[in-house]
Amino acid sequence: MANSRFKYVRNFELADNLLPSTYLVVRIDGKGFHRFSDAHSFAKPNDKAALDLMDRAAKRVFEEVPDVVVGFGESDEYSFLIRKDSSLFSRRESKIVTLIVSCFTSAYVFYWPQYMPPERILQYPPIFDGRIVQYPSTSQVKDYFRWRAVDTHINNLYNTTFWALVLQGGQTTTEANQTLSGTVSGDKNEILFKKFGINYSTLPEQFRRGSTVVRSAVEAVNETFGIPATANAEPSVTEPEDPRKIANPLFGHKQKKKPRAIPPYDGTTGEIVVLHVDMVKDDFWDQRPWLLA
Ligand code: ATP
Ligand code: ATP
Ligand code: MG
Ligand code: MG
Ligand code: MG
Ligand code: MG
């Protein structure tokens, strides 16, 4: 940008740097996806291709931004956890949010033809909004993901029962709403099982639990040591076999040179994988302590 007498307008741009040493969560959500899902004949209550496309777009965000270490998606939304000590764009809020929203949106459009049946042509450009929230403590971050995971469960149980009443039970949408008004989880499970023979707990985990994106620790450590990637290393991330031993069976015996130390893993490298796991329990975090380190 050359200097000119107009340059003073730049002074109106305000700093919007986020707090240092704070977890950042970016949540994006599709605008008007109720209509978008109708316009593109999404299966009800869950269109698997549409969920897979969301997961692919989320992976694209991971490819672009190494500091994104956890993703969680359901329906038309995705949340992204950014490392506490990230210095991405000097932690400028608008830069971070717009980059992630735009990265996700363009990937959603770019990969559409790969995930949708050929007759399902994109009818109009989809839009996503985004926001960023700062969390000072690990317990708040865990609770954030618990909140989204519980939301996934509640919505999916409701939608599954609602659409069973409509599509299999012949109720109108108004009637189905009435049937479900005031019911608790147990009632919905019972309606599904007694009226429609559906055992809720056997439905696909992708629908019940949502999608969790992480980088595989085993892949990352193996890469560091030039060990070929093994298929599907996640979720055996707890204690990977010491790669020095795999690379050199003599490792541990009398050696002249000191072997390279395994660098502490920080969650920013390795193969990007999509899991469908329980985000309410602590296990997910306990097995991957580097995510909140
Ligand atoms: P940053 O990520 O920091 O924005 P950048 O590579 O996008 O980096 P910019 O200062 O935004 O850099 O400049 C955009 C560059 O893109 C231009 O310098 C030019 O090289 C190229 N570019 C953009 N539009 C055109 C165009 N229509 N024709 C030719 N080159 C273009
Ligand atoms: P807003 O612009 O306020 O976000 P919205 O119409 O996008 O409004 P949401 O609350 O975000 O409303 O809900 C998204 C809606 O998109 C769901 O209620 C559902 O109808 C639809 N939807 C999203 N993903 C799928 C999917 N994979 N399968 C079926 N329907 C879906
Ligand atoms: Mg919204
Ligand atoms: Mg929406
Ligand atoms: Mg939504
Ligand atoms: Mg540019």
Side-chain angles (χ1 to χ4, degrees):
M1 232 192 308
N3 263 322
S4 76
R5 66 192 173 92
F6 306 118
K7 203 187 168 185
Y8 77 95
V9 296
R10 191 87 209 253
N11 298 328
F12 284 68
E13 290 184 15
L14 298 178
D16 62 350
N17 309 74
L18 298 161
L19 291 170
S21 300
T22 309
Y23 297 102
L24 307 178
V25 175
V26 177
R27 183 169 74 258
I28 65 159
D29 186 281
K31 177 169 183 284
F33 261 52
H34 195 78
R35 174 168 94 98
F36 185 85
S37 60
D38 280 346
H40 296 87
S41 315
F42 283 11
K44 294 293 176 185
N46 288 292
D47 190 274
K48 178 164 166 52
L51 292 173
D52 289 344
L53 175 59
M54 290 289 289
D55 294 346
R56 181 62 190 90
K59 280 174 129 182
R60 178 73 199 100
V61 171
F62 272 64
E63 289 160 10
E64 185 64 32
V65 192
D67 284 356
V68 167
V69 290
V70 182
F72 181 79
E74 58 156 319
S75 182
D76 68 339
E77 70 165 66
Y78 239 99
S79 299
F80 298 97
L81 173 67
I82 297 175
R83 291 193 306 114
K84 179 178 165 186
D85 292 322
S86 173
S87 56
L88 181 64
F89 294 128
S90 309
R91 301 177 75 87
R92 289 164 65 190
E93 173 170 10
S94 55
K95 283 272 194 178
I96 295 173
V97 177
T98 57
L99 177 91
I100 288 182
V101 170
S102 134
C103 179
F104 188 97
T105 308
S106 71
Y108 190 93
V109 172
F110 184 81
Y111 291 112
W112 177 276
Q114 284 184 30
Y115 284 80
M116 295 299 170
E119 66 277 11
R120 220 190 258 179
I121 307 285
L122 196 53
Q123 301 293 316
Y124 59 90
I127 306 171
F128 290 83
D129 66 31
R131 72 198 69 187
I132 194 159
V133 189
Q134 306 169 81
Y135 292 110
S137 78
T138 56
S139 64
Q140 291 153 352
V141 172
K142 291 179 187 175
D143 280 348
Y144 174 86
F145 285 95
R146 288 192 184 102
W147 174 51
R148 298 327 298 149
V150 168
D151 187 82
T152 304
H153 168 73
I154 293 171
N155 288 339
N156 190 58
L157 179 59
Y158 185 94
N159 292 337
T160 303
T161 319
F162 178 88
W163 286 106
L165 288 167
V166 173
L167 298 176
Q168 290 164 254
Q171 293 195 357
T172 65
T173 52
T174 317
E175 286 165 350
N177 264 318
Q178 280 163 3
T179 305
L180 291 178
S181 109
T183 57
V184 297
S185 309
D187 303 328
K188 295 186 190 77
N189 273 301
E190 196 170 300
I191 294 173
L192 280 176
F193 194 69
K194 292 215 172 126
K195 282 200 176 164
F196 305 109
I198 298 170
N199 180 352
Y200 183 78
S201 64
T202 63
L203 296 179
E205 290 196 312
Q206 184 181 24
F207 301 168
R208 288 186 294 115
R209 297 191 191 281
S211 297
T212 301
V213 185
V214 286
R215 293 185 174 85
S216 160
V218 172
E219 297 291 339
V221 173
N222 286 355
E223 257 168 43
T224 308
F225 287 88
I227 296 162
T230 49
N232 236 348
E234 186 72 30
S236 61
V237 289
T238 33
E239 253 335 291
E241 164 109 57
D242 188 337
R244 295 169 296 189
K245 184 127 193 170
I246 303 170
N248 175 9
L250 291 177
F251 171 75
H253 296 267
K254 284 166 251 155
Q255 279 184 334
K256 277 169 206 147
K257 261 200 207 161
K258 232 186 156 195
R260 231 178 350 144
I262 300 179
Y265 181 62
D266 67 357
T268 63
T269 56
E271 196 197 336
I272 303 158
V273 291
V274 180
L275 315 170
H276 309 295
V277 293
D278 187 341
M279 296 293 282
V280 178
K281 289 201 192 114
D282 270 326
D283 300 15
F284 170 79
W285 303 102
D286 290 347
Q287 289 161 2
R288 301 169 184 79
W290 50 85
L291 295 175
L292 298 173

